[in-house]
Amino acid sequence: MTNPLLATWDTPFDLPPYDAIRDEDFSPAVAAALDDGRAAIKAITDQAEAPTFANTIEALERADETLGRVLGAFYAVAGADATPAREDLMREFSPKLAAYGSEITMNADLFARIETLWQARDTLELTEEQARVLMLTRRGFVRAGAQLEGAARSRLGEIKERLASLGTQFTQNLLADERAWSMPLAEADLEGLPDFVKATARAAGAERGQDGPVVTLSRSLIVPFLQFSPRRDLRQKAFAAWVARGANGGKTDNRAVAAEILKLREERAALLGYDSFAAYKLETEMAETPDAVRNLLMAVWEPARAMAEADAEVLTAMMRADGINGDLEPWDWRYYAEKRRKAEHDLDEAELKPFLQLDRMIEAAFSCAHRLFGIEARPVDVPLYHPDCRAWEITRNGEHLALFIGDYFARASKRSGAWCSAMRSQQKLAGNIRPVVINVCNFAKPEAGQPALLSYDDARTLFHEFGHALHQMLSDVTYESISGTSVARDFVELPSQLYEHWLEVPEVLAEFATLADTGAPMPADMLDRLLKAKNFDQGFATVEYVASALVDLAFHEGTAPEDVMARQAEVLADIGLPHAITMRHASPHFAHVFSGDGYSSGYYSYMWSEVMDADAFEAFEDVGDAFDPATAQALHDHVLSKGGSVDAKALYTRFRGRLPGVEALLKGRGLTAA
């Protein structure tokens, strides 16, 4: 029987035929795809012709076409709909793929051809994009160890394989802990909770086969529970479970996994001649050095901590008024902050949430993209990997641009958080290949027959991930290696964080924030109060984020710690983390940093990008129109369509005329006065 993953896909938009694919098809398909890739590399190195850009670099770009197709289909489901079989496959594939990558980057004959082209680059008459691809290819090989010899070369390959396995283990341990815990709620425990939290808890209980409502470790449930439950004992129990993910002992404990990852990263950097892993990792980012990262984070830390400490005094006084005389604790903060928001801004999330329907917020994201970039979104019925998924064809002036898939609801088989990925990326080398882009979120699934409602933070997440999707869908480059979000890590969050600003444009909420039952728009006074409160509790939000970023930097800048929790505690004590605020991601569940190398030494990049997104949105504000056509066209032409075809600093400078300073960020977060 033909493996459907290796057959020609006679499907709409060339989607994987998920209705025909079985889990047992993936392993033989990956093996065959790896064989294809090895044959393609051998064809490059065995040819008698002298190296040219076409027969070496372009051939290398196309070498993994089959592997990319198979892995695109697999990883789309692996994180969003995990099963024991798929988790076994992830553990199987991780070291194999790392070994395959090392085979390529340490292939001496292949690197010799690349180096020949690099040395002759000034005579090759390359386009700007080709010159960029050559530079990135050669740099990638060097940073992967192509110039190492002997024992160092072998050891680096071993390290990469082990790191790949450990990253998969870290992710699966975290998901296991999140799946394993739930807290049943009696009817009396529901007292004080808004109807939407009760409904979410009941839906979560039903999904887990429980007779009644439960609290789970899904952010879309536990955060509103911490915001609204008057039961301090239950808040403490839920919060303790939330922050203990990955640190519960036994086979799912991530503390030793994280320590080994850090040691291996340190050794990897040393083999390549760097003082630290942070120095190695940041060399290719906009920030360039650990000092630049620390300077940014500390410029924000001091005013944020001052604001948070002032807020803590207010919340403590509110707690005293309730007859509680102990310290303000982390499980108290969200509860009293929500009460304070109600008192100071007359803003109650229970009243706000009915106006933030998921379907209407999706419409809002599409509408803003239409007004800015001329795209249209048309729902399509195509085979997808899970019944919760939905799909839209994205077009412009009648031309197909992309297929966009939204997978919005939390479920036990999905890892936490929200992300954007491309099942297939845009490129032109193999024809006019248009992307298949997926947004995955973890919003609370409603009870049957009820509309899905979002918090304002959820709505912002939806816009954020769609900003990433736009970066993929509007990409217009020749080479897949520089397509879409294939940019510096501290530039990749610019389009996503910038797109969040359009959710705050009053006319957008006025049109799309409507009640499900009547269609009535959000009252003007509520809209005004919502927008005025956008920086409410910003001290807390900034402190928990920056603390995480500083710990990440410290882990990778010096000697790898034997005890990650002790080093974490040391860093937090040094910066003076307020007692009632924890890191947004404690080390045992810091998936950004430990599930792979992507954000290692790079969690700061959200804030680095925020410096740019605050400044970039000012370009629209300066002309008095959030949808100004000329500014939108410049954003499209100089950022969203370019992928990694030009250096990130040059791209931003072409768009804005200069690089930004931190002032716009402090102003945007309301931290200037603090």
Side-chain angles (χ1 to χ4, degrees), residues 192-246:
L193 296 177
D195 289 342
F196 78 84
V197 180
K198 296 176 185 177
T200 302
R202 290 192 177 101
E207 189 207 4
R208 289 172 178 252
Q210 301 293 315
D211 292 335
V214 302
V215 175
T216 69
L217 297 179
S218 169
R219 181 175 285 271
S220 61
L221 176 51
I222 195 167
V223 168
F225 182 80
L226 293 169
Q227 283 177 296
F228 291 105
S229 176
R231 288 282 301 277
R232 194 176 191 227
D233 59 330
L234 295 182
R235 295 201 312 267
Q236 181 176 1
K237 182 179 179 181
F239 187 86
W242 196 30
V243 298
R245 291 170 293 159

Short mmCIF file of all heavy atoms in Angstrom, two decimals, residues 192-246:
data_model
loop_
_atom_site.label_atom_id
_atom_site.label_comp_id
_atom_site.label_asym_id
_atom_site.label_seq_id
_atom_site.Cartn_x
_atom_site.Cartn_y
_atom_site.Cartn_z
N GLY A 192 -19.21 33.19 43.67
CA GLY A 192 -18.42 34.37 43.32
C GLY A 192 -17.83 34.33 41.93
O GLY A 192 -17.30 35.34 41.46
N LEU A 193 -17.90 33.18 41.27
CA LEU A 193 -17.34 33.09 39.92
C LEU A 193 -18.36 33.57 38.89
O LEU A 193 -19.54 33.24 38.98
CB LEU A 193 -16.94 31.64 39.61
CG LEU A 193 -15.83 31.03 40.45
CD1 LEU A 193 -15.62 29.57 40.05
CD2 LEU A 193 -14.54 31.81 40.30
N PRO A 194 -17.92 34.32 37.90
CA PRO A 194 -18.83 34.72 36.82
C PRO A 194 -19.32 33.49 36.06
O PRO A 194 -18.70 32.43 36.06
CB PRO A 194 -17.97 35.61 35.93
CG PRO A 194 -16.78 35.97 36.74
CD PRO A 194 -16.58 34.86 37.72
N ASP A 195 -20.43 33.66 35.35
CA ASP A 195 -21.01 32.55 34.61
C ASP A 195 -20.03 31.97 33.59
O ASP A 195 -19.99 30.76 33.38
CB ASP A 195 -22.29 33.00 33.90
CG ASP A 195 -23.44 33.24 34.87
OD1 ASP A 195 -23.36 32.75 36.02
OD2 ASP A 195 -24.41 33.92 34.49
N PHE A 196 -19.22 32.83 32.96
CA PHE A 196 -18.33 32.29 31.92
C PHE A 196 -17.25 31.40 32.53
O PHE A 196 -16.81 30.43 31.89
CB PHE A 196 -17.72 33.42 31.08
CG PHE A 196 -16.58 34.17 31.70
CD1 PHE A 196 -15.27 33.70 31.62
CD2 PHE A 196 -16.81 35.37 32.37
CE1 PHE A 196 -14.23 34.41 32.19
CE2 PHE A 196 -15.76 36.08 32.94
CZ PHE A 196 -14.46 35.60 32.85
N VAL A 197 -16.82 31.68 33.75
CA VAL A 197 -15.82 30.82 34.40
C VAL A 197 -16.48 29.50 34.80
O VAL A 197 -15.89 28.42 34.63
CB VAL A 197 -15.20 31.51 35.62
CG1 VAL A 197 -14.16 30.60 36.27
CG2 VAL A 197 -14.54 32.82 35.22
N LYS A 198 -17.70 29.57 35.33
CA LYS A 198 -18.42 28.34 35.67
C LYS A 198 -18.61 27.46 34.44
O LYS A 198 -18.39 26.24 34.49
CB LYS A 198 -19.78 28.68 36.28
CG LYS A 198 -19.73 29.43 37.60
CD LYS A 198 -21.15 29.79 38.05
CE LYS A 198 -21.15 30.64 39.31
NZ LYS A 198 -22.51 31.04 39.72
N ALA A 199 -19.00 28.08 33.34
CA ALA A 199 -19.23 27.32 32.11
C ALA A 199 -17.94 26.68 31.61
O ALA A 199 -17.92 25.52 31.16
CB ALA A 199 -19.83 28.22 31.04
N THR A 200 -16.84 27.42 31.69
CA THR A 200 -15.55 26.89 31.26
C THR A 200 -15.14 25.71 32.14
O THR A 200 -14.62 24.70 31.65
CB THR A 200 -14.48 27.98 31.29
OG1 THR A 200 -14.88 29.07 30.45
CG2 THR A 200 -13.14 27.46 30.81
N ALA A 201 -15.35 25.84 33.44
CA ALA A 201 -15.00 24.76 34.37
C ALA A 201 -15.85 23.52 34.11
O ALA A 201 -15.35 22.39 34.18
CB ALA A 201 -15.15 25.23 35.81
N ARG A 202 -17.12 23.72 33.81
CA ARG A 202 -17.99 22.57 33.51
C ARG A 202 -17.56 21.90 32.20
O ARG A 202 -17.54 20.67 32.10
CB ARG A 202 -19.45 23.02 33.43
CG ARG A 202 -20.04 23.42 34.79
CD ARG A 202 -21.55 23.58 34.74
NE ARG A 202 -22.09 23.91 36.04
CZ ARG A 202 -22.45 25.13 36.44
NH1 ARG A 202 -22.33 26.15 35.60
NH2 ARG A 202 -22.92 25.33 37.65
N ALA A 203 -17.23 22.71 31.20
CA ALA A 203 -16.78 22.14 29.92
C ALA A 203 -15.47 21.37 30.10
O ALA A 203 -15.27 20.31 29.51
CB ALA A 203 -16.61 23.25 28.88
N ALA A 204 -14.58 21.91 30.95
CA ALA A 204 -13.32 21.22 31.21
C ALA A 204 -13.56 19.90 31.93
O ALA A 204 -12.90 18.89 31.65
CB ALA A 204 -12.40 22.11 32.05
N GLY A 205 -14.52 19.89 32.86
CA GLY A 205 -14.86 18.66 33.55
C GLY A 205 -15.42 17.62 32.59
O GLY A 205 -15.06 16.43 32.65
N ALA A 206 -16.29 18.07 31.69
CA ALA A 206 -16.88 17.14 30.72
C ALA A 206 -15.81 16.56 29.81
O ALA A 206 -15.82 15.35 29.51
CB ALA A 206 -17.94 17.87 29.89
N GLU A 207 -14.85 17.39 29.38
CA GLU A 207 -13.79 16.89 28.49
C GLU A 207 -12.95 15.84 29.19
O GLU A 207 -12.48 14.88 28.56
CB GLU A 207 -12.89 18.04 28.04
CG GLU A 207 -11.92 17.64 26.95
CD GLU A 207 -10.64 18.45 26.90
OE1 GLU A 207 -10.43 19.31 27.78
OE2 GLU A 207 -9.83 18.20 26.01
N ARG A 208 -12.78 15.98 30.51
CA ARG A 208 -11.95 15.04 31.27
C ARG A 208 -12.77 13.90 31.87
O ARG A 208 -12.26 13.11 32.67
CB ARG A 208 -11.20 15.78 32.38
CG ARG A 208 -10.10 16.69 31.81
CD ARG A 208 -9.48 17.57 32.87
NE ARG A 208 -8.41 18.37 32.29
CZ ARG A 208 -7.11 18.19 32.51
NH1 ARG A 208 -6.72 17.24 33.32
NH2 ARG A 208 -6.21 18.96 31.94
N GLY A 209 -14.05 13.81 31.50
CA GLY A 209 -14.88 12.72 31.98
C GLY A 209 -15.29 12.83 33.43
O GLY A 209 -15.63 11.82 34.06
N GLN A 210 -15.28 14.05 33.97
CA GLN A 210 -15.69 14.28 35.36
C GLN A 210 -17.19 14.60 35.42
O GLN A 210 -17.78 15.11 34.46
CB GLN A 210 -14.90 15.45 35.94
CG GLN A 210 -13.40 15.25 35.92
CD GLN A 210 -12.93 14.14 36.85
OE1 GLN A 210 -13.38 14.06 37.99
NE2 GLN A 210 -12.05 13.30 36.36
N ASP A 211 -17.78 14.32 36.57
CA ASP A 211 -19.22 14.56 36.73
C ASP A 211 -19.54 16.04 36.90
O ASP A 211 -20.67 16.47 36.62
CB ASP A 211 -19.76 13.78 37.94
CG ASP A 211 -19.73 12.28 37.70
OD1 ASP A 211 -19.78 11.89 36.52
OD2 ASP A 211 -19.64 11.54 38.68
N GLY A 212 -18.57 16.83 37.37
CA GLY A 212 -18.84 18.23 37.64
C GLY A 212 -17.73 19.12 37.13
O GLY A 212 -16.82 18.68 36.42
N PRO A 213 -17.76 20.39 37.52
CA PRO A 213 -16.75 21.34 37.05
C PRO A 213 -15.39 21.08 37.66
O PRO A 213 -15.28 20.58 38.79
CB PRO A 213 -17.31 22.69 37.50
CG PRO A 213 -18.19 22.38 38.67
CD PRO A 213 -18.78 21.04 38.37
N VAL A 214 -14.34 21.42 36.91
CA VAL A 214 -12.97 21.30 37.41
C VAL A 214 -12.18 22.53 36.98
O VAL A 214 -12.52 23.20 36.01
CB VAL A 214 -12.25 20.03 36.88
CG1 VAL A 214 -13.01 18.77 37.26
CG2 VAL A 214 -12.04 20.11 35.37
N VAL A 215 -11.12 22.82 37.73
CA VAL A 215 -10.10 23.77 37.30
C VAL A 215 -8.94 22.97 36.75
O VAL A 215 -8.51 21.99 37.36
CB VAL A 215 -9.64 24.66 38.47
CG1 VAL A 215 -8.49 25.57 38.03
CG2 VAL A 215 -10.78 25.51 38.99
N THR A 216 -8.44 23.35 35.58
CA THR A 216 -7.27 22.71 34.99
C THR A 216 -6.14 23.72 34.91
O THR A 216 -6.30 24.89 35.29
CB THR A 216 -7.58 22.19 33.57
OG1 THR A 216 -7.76 23.32 32.70
CG2 THR A 216 -8.84 21.34 33.57
N LEU A 217 -5.01 23.29 34.38
CA LEU A 217 -3.86 24.17 34.25
C LEU A 217 -3.82 24.89 32.91
O LEU A 217 -2.80 25.48 32.56
CB LEU A 217 -2.57 23.37 34.49
CG LEU A 217 -2.46 22.77 35.89
CD1 LEU A 217 -1.16 21.99 36.04
CD2 LEU A 217 -2.54 23.86 36.96
N SER A 218 -4.92 24.86 32.19
CA SER A 218 -5.03 25.69 30.98
C SER A 218 -5.14 27.15 31.39
O SER A 218 -5.97 27.51 32.23
CB SER A 218 -6.27 25.29 30.18
OG SER A 218 -6.52 26.24 29.16
N ARG A 219 -4.29 27.99 30.79
CA ARG A 219 -4.29 29.41 31.15
C ARG A 219 -5.68 30.04 30.99
O ARG A 219 -6.06 30.92 31.76
CB ARG A 219 -3.26 30.16 30.30
CG ARG A 219 -3.15 31.65 30.61
CD ARG A 219 -2.03 32.30 29.81
NE ARG A 219 -0.72 31.95 30.35
CZ ARG A 219 -0.10 32.63 31.30
NH1 ARG A 219 -0.67 33.71 31.84
NH2 ARG A 219 1.09 32.26 31.73
N SER A 220 -6.44 29.59 30.01
CA SER A 220 -7.75 30.19 29.76
C SER A 220 -8.75 29.86 30.86
O SER A 220 -9.82 30.46 30.93
CB SER A 220 -8.31 29.71 28.41
OG SER A 220 -8.47 28.30 28.40
N LEU A 221 -8.42 28.92 31.74
CA LEU A 221 -9.28 28.60 32.88
C LEU A 221 -8.66 29.02 34.20
O LEU A 221 -9.32 29.65 35.04
CB LEU A 221 -9.60 27.11 32.90
CG LEU A 221 -10.44 26.59 34.08
CD1 LEU A 221 -11.70 27.41 34.29
CD2 LEU A 221 -10.79 25.12 33.87
N ILE A 222 -7.39 28.72 34.40
CA ILE A 222 -6.82 28.98 35.72
C ILE A 222 -6.67 30.48 35.99
O ILE A 222 -6.86 30.94 37.12
CB ILE A 222 -5.48 28.24 35.91
CG1 ILE A 222 -5.11 28.23 37.40
CG2 ILE A 222 -4.37 28.82 35.07
CD1 ILE A 222 -4.00 27.29 37.77
N VAL A 223 -6.35 31.26 34.96
CA VAL A 223 -6.20 32.71 35.20
C VAL A 223 -7.51 33.35 35.62
O VAL A 223 -7.55 34.06 36.63
CB VAL A 223 -5.58 33.40 33.97
CG1 VAL A 223 -5.70 34.92 34.10
CG2 VAL A 223 -4.11 33.02 33.83
N PRO A 224 -8.63 33.12 34.90
CA PRO A 224 -9.87 33.72 35.40
C PRO A 224 -10.31 33.16 36.76
O PRO A 224 -10.93 33.88 37.55
CB PRO A 224 -10.90 33.41 34.31
CG PRO A 224 -10.29 32.40 33.43
CD PRO A 224 -8.82 32.54 33.56
N PHE A 225 -9.97 31.91 37.05
CA PHE A 225 -10.28 31.39 38.38
C PHE A 225 -9.51 32.18 39.44
O PHE A 225 -10.08 32.56 40.48
CB PHE A 225 -9.94 29.90 38.47
CG PHE A 225 -10.27 29.30 39.80
CD1 PHE A 225 -11.57 28.93 40.10
CD2 PHE A 225 -9.29 29.12 40.78
CE1 PHE A 225 -11.89 28.40 41.36
CE2 PHE A 225 -9.59 28.58 42.02
CZ PHE A 225 -10.90 28.22 42.31
N LEU A 226 -8.23 32.44 39.19
CA LEU A 226 -7.44 33.23 40.13
C LEU A 226 -7.92 34.67 40.22
O LEU A 226 -7.77 35.33 41.26
CB LEU A 226 -5.96 33.19 39.73
CG LEU A 226 -5.25 31.84 39.84
CD1 LEU A 226 -3.88 31.89 39.17
CD2 LEU A 226 -5.11 31.42 41.31
N GLN A 227 -8.50 35.16 39.15
CA GLN A 227 -9.02 36.53 39.15
C GLN A 227 -10.30 36.67 39.98
O GLN A 227 -10.51 37.69 40.62
CB GLN A 227 -9.33 36.97 37.72
CG GLN A 227 -8.13 37.36 36.89
CD GLN A 227 -8.55 37.71 35.48
OE1 GLN A 227 -9.06 36.88 34.73
NE2 GLN A 227 -8.35 38.95 35.10
N PHE A 228 -11.15 35.64 39.95
CA PHE A 228 -12.50 35.83 40.46
C PHE A 228 -12.86 35.01 41.70
O PHE A 228 -13.82 35.35 42.39
CB PHE A 228 -13.51 35.52 39.35
CG PHE A 228 -13.51 36.52 38.24
CD1 PHE A 228 -12.93 36.22 37.02
CD2 PHE A 228 -14.07 37.78 38.42
CE1 PHE A 228 -12.91 37.15 35.99
CE2 PHE A 228 -14.06 38.72 37.39
CZ PHE A 228 -13.48 38.40 36.18
N SER A 229 -12.14 33.93 41.98
CA SER A 229 -12.56 33.10 43.10
C SER A 229 -12.27 33.79 44.43
O SER A 229 -11.11 34.12 44.72
CB SER A 229 -11.84 31.75 43.07
OG SER A 229 -12.19 31.00 44.22
N PRO A 230 -13.29 33.97 45.28
CA PRO A 230 -13.06 34.56 46.60
C PRO A 230 -12.46 33.56 47.59
O PRO A 230 -12.08 33.94 48.70
CB PRO A 230 -14.46 34.99 47.04
CG PRO A 230 -15.38 34.04 46.33
CD PRO A 230 -14.71 33.72 45.02
N ARG A 231 -12.35 32.30 47.16
CA ARG A 231 -11.82 31.25 48.04
C ARG A 231 -10.30 31.27 48.00
O ARG A 231 -9.67 30.71 47.10
CB ARG A 231 -12.36 29.89 47.60
CG ARG A 231 -13.83 29.69 47.92
CD ARG A 231 -14.02 29.35 49.39
NE ARG A 231 -13.28 28.13 49.73
CZ ARG A 231 -13.75 26.90 49.52
NH1 ARG A 231 -14.95 26.72 48.99
NH2 ARG A 231 -13.02 25.85 49.86
N ARG A 232 -9.69 31.91 48.98
CA ARG A 232 -8.23 32.04 48.99
C ARG A 232 -7.55 30.68 49.06
O ARG A 232 -6.48 30.47 48.47
CB ARG A 232 -7.81 32.91 50.18
CG ARG A 232 -6.35 33.39 50.09
CD ARG A 232 -6.00 34.33 51.22
NE ARG A 232 -4.70 34.97 50.98
CZ ARG A 232 -3.74 35.06 51.89
NH1 ARG A 232 -3.91 34.56 53.12
NH2 ARG A 232 -2.58 35.66 51.60
N ASP A 233 -8.14 29.73 49.78
CA ASP A 233 -7.53 28.40 49.88
C ASP A 233 -7.49 27.70 48.54
O ASP A 233 -6.49 27.05 48.19
CB ASP A 233 -8.29 27.56 50.92
CG ASP A 233 -9.77 27.40 50.57
OD1 ASP A 233 -10.35 28.31 49.93
OD2 ASP A 233 -10.35 26.35 50.94
N LEU A 234 -8.56 27.85 47.75
CA LEU A 234 -8.58 27.21 46.44
C LEU A 234 -7.66 27.93 45.47
O LEU A 234 -7.02 27.29 44.62
CB LEU A 234 -10.01 27.18 45.89
CG LEU A 234 -11.02 26.34 46.67
CD1 LEU A 234 -12.38 26.36 45.99
CD2 LEU A 234 -10.52 24.90 46.82
N ARG A 235 -7.59 29.25 45.58
CA ARG A 235 -6.64 29.98 44.74
C ARG A 235 -5.22 29.52 45.02
O ARG A 235 -4.41 29.32 44.11
CB ARG A 235 -6.75 31.50 44.97
CG ARG A 235 -8.07 32.12 44.57
CD ARG A 235 -7.93 33.63 44.35
NE ARG A 235 -7.24 34.32 45.42
CZ ARG A 235 -7.83 34.91 46.47
NH1 ARG A 235 -9.15 34.86 46.59
NH2 ARG A 235 -7.11 35.55 47.39
N GLN A 236 -4.89 29.36 46.30
CA GLN A 236 -3.54 28.93 46.67
C GLN A 236 -3.24 27.54 46.12
O GLN A 236 -2.15 27.28 45.57
CB GLN A 236 -3.36 28.94 48.18
CG GLN A 236 -1.96 28.52 48.63
CD GLN A 236 -1.76 28.60 50.14
OE1 GLN A 236 -2.68 28.97 50.88
NE2 GLN A 236 -0.57 28.28 50.60
N LYS A 237 -4.20 26.64 46.22
CA LYS A 237 -4.01 25.28 45.73
C LYS A 237 -3.81 25.26 44.22
O LYS A 237 -2.91 24.58 43.70
CB LYS A 237 -5.22 24.42 46.12
CG LYS A 237 -5.11 22.97 45.70
CD LYS A 237 -6.34 22.18 46.15
CE LYS A 237 -6.25 20.73 45.70
NZ LYS A 237 -7.46 19.95 46.11
N ALA A 238 -4.63 26.03 43.51
CA ALA A 238 -4.53 26.07 42.05
C ALA A 238 -3.22 26.72 41.61
O ALA A 238 -2.54 26.23 40.70
CB ALA A 238 -5.72 26.83 41.47
N PHE A 239 -2.85 27.82 42.27
CA PHE A 239 -1.62 28.51 41.90
C PHE A 239 -0.40 27.62 42.15
O PHE A 239 0.53 27.58 41.33
CB PHE A 239 -1.49 29.81 42.67
CG PHE A 239 -0.34 30.66 42.21
CD1 PHE A 239 -0.49 31.54 41.15
CD2 PHE A 239 0.90 30.58 42.83
CE1 PHE A 239 0.58 32.31 40.70
CE2 PHE A 239 1.98 31.34 42.39
CZ PHE A 239 1.81 32.22 41.33
N ALA A 240 -0.42 26.89 43.27
CA ALA A 240 0.71 26.01 43.60
C ALA A 240 0.90 24.95 42.51
O ALA A 240 2.03 24.64 42.12
CB ALA A 240 0.49 25.36 44.96
N ALA A 241 -0.20 24.40 42.01
CA ALA A 241 -0.10 23.40 40.95
C ALA A 241 0.39 24.02 39.65
O ALA A 241 1.17 23.43 38.90
CB ALA A 241 -1.46 22.75 40.73
N TRP A 242 -0.05 25.25 39.39
CA TRP A 242 0.31 25.93 38.13
C TRP A 242 1.82 26.19 38.09
O TRP A 242 2.47 25.94 37.08
CB TRP A 242 -0.48 27.24 38.05
CG TRP A 242 -0.52 27.85 36.68
CD1 TRP A 242 -0.46 27.21 35.48
CD2 TRP A 242 -0.64 29.23 36.40
NE1 TRP A 242 -0.56 28.12 34.46
CE2 TRP A 242 -0.66 29.36 34.99
CE3 TRP A 242 -0.75 30.37 37.18
CZ2 TRP A 242 -0.79 30.60 34.36
CZ3 TRP A 242 -0.88 31.61 36.55
CH2 TRP A 242 -0.90 31.71 35.16
N VAL A 243 2.38 26.70 39.17
CA VAL A 243 3.81 27.04 39.16
C VAL A 243 4.69 25.82 39.38
O VAL A 243 5.90 25.89 39.17
CB VAL A 243 4.14 28.13 40.22
CG1 VAL A 243 3.40 29.42 39.91
CG2 VAL A 243 3.83 27.64 41.63
N ALA A 244 4.09 24.68 39.77
CA ALA A 244 4.88 23.47 40.01
C ALA A 244 5.02 22.60 38.76
O ALA A 244 5.69 21.57 38.80
CB ALA A 244 4.25 22.64 41.13
N ARG A 245 4.41 23.01 37.66
CA ARG A 245 4.53 22.21 36.43
C ARG A 245 6.01 21.96 36.11
O ARG A 245 6.82 22.87 36.12
CB ARG A 245 3.88 22.94 35.26
CG ARG A 245 2.37 23.04 35.33
CD ARG A 245 1.85 23.99 34.25
NE ARG A 245 2.27 25.36 34.50
CZ ARG A 245 2.33 26.31 33.56
NH1 ARG A 245 2.04 26.03 32.30
NH2 ARG A 245 2.71 27.53 33.88
N GLY A 246 6.33 20.72 35.86
CA GLY A 246 7.70 20.37 35.54
C GLY A 246 8.59 20.21 36.76
O GLY A 246 9.79 19.95 36.61
#
